Amino acid sequence: MAEPQHSAVTVLGLGAMGGALANGLLKRGLPVTVWNRSPDKAEALVEQGATFIPDLSAAIGASPVTIMCLSDHAACMSVLNGKAIAAAAGRTLIQLSTITSAESRELASRMAAASVRYLDGQILAYPDDILEARANLVCSGPPEVFNEHAATLRAMAGNVYHVGASHGAAPSFAKAHDSFSLGCYLSLLQGAAMCASSGVDLRAWSDYNLRYLSSGNLGREMAILADQTITRSYDEGLGATMNVWRGAAIKIVEECRTAGANVAHLDSLLALMDKSIAAGAGEKEIGVLFEQMTAK
Ligand code: NAP
């Protein structure tokens, strides 16, 4: 089935990210209407072809789809007043500000009550990635609404994924992504701190990690772990048991303490491993930690 074509778009919020979204749409040749609380931020976009409408309801009424990118949930709730929602009735609102899943559900029910078609989206990228159409954008909400606007979202952002029909799925997914990124960043920095404290060349540490990433080995290990969480079976895969990994973790902590490097996050990891082993998982693969993390 042919994918629906791009549509005219109104962008609410022209900060660093909202401005990049509007810019990206203009670069891809779409008709763009813009609105911002502080009108001066629209000037550069108008020079590039956008139409600035200072009245919020009129701006929403100018396009079949409105993309909103404000600071936070409170800003979205204050902007979406009765008049603005009435203007959006029968149209689509795509909410891209960073919010939680509970906040998204609150917005979705407010929009449903006013017959506004609503999609969540969370941007997992920086403004420059939008401008180059290489950003990752995760969306959730009714699949038929997503499919209708997927071409426009792809033109604007690059890589667009629908991660669930229920409102709130995209914010949950995005938090999981951020947690993954932060965990990776923390681990790289922790390793660098250990190397620095014991006089290991930081360039050697960096080069090694870049090779580890590009070799595909880490990707293969992640795929095995991810499969363990899906199947919830932890008897084989990577080839090392929880007991073996706990021994390695103790040695990492020892090494850090000797080098005077911080061990706070490793203490939490050890506590999680101990709980898992106490629950009888010592001879399972390390993916079994997932059971402790999801235990009520
Ligand atoms: P920003 O540059 O600080 O812009 C904030 C925007 O929100 C401005 O348009 C501002 O309007 C508007 N705003 C704030 N409070 C408002 C209110 N009460 N009523 C009306 N408008 C209000 O922030 P940003 O970087 O564009 O980020 C916007 C969203 O994108 C955030 O949720 C952020 O987490 C998300 N995001 C940003 C990035 C990034 O790298 N920048 C990456 C991923 C996701 P004024 O101009 O009038 O102040």
Side-chain angles (χ1 to χ4, degrees), residues 22-39:
N23 211 328
L25 289 163
L26 284 168
K27 272 175 98 174
R28 261 64 91 192
L30 276 75
V32 179
T33 297
V34 292
W35 175 90
N36 196 59
R37 179 180 60 178
S38 316

Side-chain angles (χ1 to χ4, degrees), residues 9 12 34 39 47 54 67 71 84 89 95 103 111 117 156 163 207 235 242 266 280:
V9 180
L12 308 181
V34 292
E47 277 172 26
I67 287 175
S71 306
Q95 194 309 105
E103 289 168 345
M111 294 307 118
R117 306 166 87 225
M156 178 182 74
V163 297
D207 290 348
D235 290 323
M242 176 71 80
L266 292 167

Side-chain angles (χ1 to χ4, degrees), residues 239-257:
T241 63
M242 176 71 80
N243 285 328
V244 167
W245 268 114
R246 184 180 179 281
I250 298 246
K251 292 291 168 204
I252 302 170
V253 170
E254 250 180 67
E255 190 73 35
C256 284
R257 292 222 158 95

Side-chain angles (χ1 to χ4, degrees), residues 58-172:
I60 292 172
S63 309
V65 53
T66 290
I67 287 175
M68 180 165 65
C69 188
L70 306 179
S71 306
D72 54 21
H73 180 65
C76 296
M77 292 299 268
S78 76
V79 160
L80 292 172
N81 56 31
K83 215 174 144 209
I85 295 179
R91 300 172 195 274
T92 301
L93 175 71
I94 305 178
Q95 194 309 105
L96 301 186
S97 322
T98 302
I99 58 173
T100 66
S101 53
E103 289 168 345
S104 170
R105 284 189 289 274
E106 186 183 354
L107 273 165
S109 80
R110 195 188 261 210
M111 294 307 118
S115 303
V116 179
R117 306 166 87 225
Y118 176 74
L119 276 185
D120 296 319
Q122 298 286 281
I123 302 164
L124 309 178
Y126 295 99
D128 278 354
D129 298 319
I130 296 283
L131 293 176
E132 299 303 323
R134 60 172 183 227
N136 289 327
L137 172 66
V138 291
C139 297
S140 55
E144 65 280 9
V145 181
F146 172 78
N147 289 336
E148 199 177 311
H149 300 290
T152 301
L153 293 171
R154 272 191 204 105
M156 178 182 74
N159 310 307
V160 180
Y161 307 92
H162 186 246
V163 297
S166 63
H167 293 299
S172 294

